[in-house]
Amino acid sequence: LRHDLKRHLSTMEVLLREGNMVDLKEYMDQIKGKMDDETMVSKTGNLVIDSIINYEAYTSEAGEDRIQIKSRGIPKSLGIQDQDLTVIIGNLVSNALNAATQVQDGKVYIQIRFDKGVFYVGIENDYDGYLKHRNGKLVTTHKDESSHGYGLENIRMVLEKYCGDLFMEHSESRFRTEVVIYESSDMSKD
């Protein structure tokens, strides 16, 4: 399934574009039938978060067996727009998995929780110890800088919208990123 994920997404996009909801639902049900619940890396109960993490895990070179996730108190719906949640979670998990693939047996540890009005995402991953900075900011280590390196800046822009915070720290072999967003009046609607 992981190998063919992009093809499946392309097929679903065509069905959606054509407005063929009956066939789209049937196609999605077939795919979901192939995905045993035990193979899902992320089971927070929030469809957006689970979809992003599972997609990143299944499409990454690292593979889902390098990821460990713990979650607590995540509501089905947060007061964070889905596309903003995608930017935050998608970029953090993708960056962590990419870094972990550079290290033999590199792992990614994800903690996600919603507690007392605070949405928290903590991701810690193994990495090769190489970081690149420009003008005091962390920048991509990808060779193709024109196609990479926008993730952290996009995360910062989203966090500004929600008055959230981004924290990063590292040792010689571990990198840790934390995102904190404080509850607004409507953040934990179920």
Side-chain angles (χ1 to χ4, degrees):
L1 181 64
R2 180 172 75 189
H3 175 75
D4 295 321
L5 190 56
K6 287 184 182 182
R7 289 182 192 96
H8 289 304
L9 290 173
S10 178
T11 300
M12 289 187 291
E13 182 180 21
V14 168
L15 291 169
L16 180 63
R17 205 175 317 129
E18 292 176 352
N20 192 341
M21 297 301 150
V22 173
D23 286 347
L24 176 61
K25 182 178 180 344
E26 184 178 316
Y27 191 83
M28 290 173 68
D29 288 343
Q30 288 173 5
I31 291 173
K32 284 189 332 192
K34 291 180 183 179
M35 295 171 60
D36 183 325
D37 189 49
E38 292 178 19
T39 66
M40 303 299 278
V41 174
S42 181
K43 302 176 204 172
T44 68
N46 180 292
L47 181 63
V48 175
I49 292 172
D50 292 341
S51 296
I52 296 163
I53 293 173
N54 288 322
Y55 172 80
E56 291 294 339
Y58 296 135
T59 59
S60 167
E61 288 178 29
E64 62 273 10
D65 52 337
R66 290 190 188 220
I67 297 176
Q68 292 181 17
I69 183 167
K70 292 182 181 179
S71 65
R72 184 180 75 223
I74 305 299
K76 289 182 182 175
S77 179
L78 289 163
I80 302 170
Q81 293 181 345
D82 292 349
Q83 65 268 25
D84 293 336
L85 203 51
T86 299
V87 167
I88 295 168
I89 304 289
N91 281 297
L92 291 178
V93 173
S94 177
N95 289 349
L97 284 167
N98 285 335
T101 62
Q102 305 304 311
V103 178
Q104 185 174 353
D105 300 321
K107 298 279 188 207
V108 175
Y109 306 93
I110 303 171
Q111 254 190 24
I112 302 176
R113 66 179 178 263
F114 187 80
D115 189 33
K116 297 179 183 170
V118 178
F119 177 63
Y120 170 86
V121 179
I123 300 182
E124 187 170 328
N125 59 276
D126 298 315
Y127 81 113
D128 63 8
Y130 175 68
L131 296 174
K132 189 173 172 183
H133 291 84
R134 186 175 300 133
N135 299 324
K137 287 189 173 185
L138 195 60
V139 295
T140 186
T141 57
H142 284 274
K143 290 180 179 158
D144 181 10
E145 288 186 29
S146 64
S147 299
H148 297 278
Y150 301 102
L152 286 176
E153 195 55 42
N154 290 344
I155 291 169
R156 285 185 181 100
M157 287 191 299
V158 168
L159 290 175
E160 190 174 308
K161 179 177 173 180
Y162 295 96
C163 299
D165 294 308
L166 173 66
F167 304 98
M168 293 182 286
E169 62 183 10
H170 59 86
S171 68
E172 290 181 17
S173 62
R174 285 276 175 102
F175 195 94
R176 180 162 186 78
T177 309
E178 296 178 324
V179 165
V180 179
I181 299 177
Y182 302 94
E183 183 174 35
S184 63
S185 60
D186 193 30
M187 196 160 158
S188 63
K189 55 186 178 194
D190 261 328

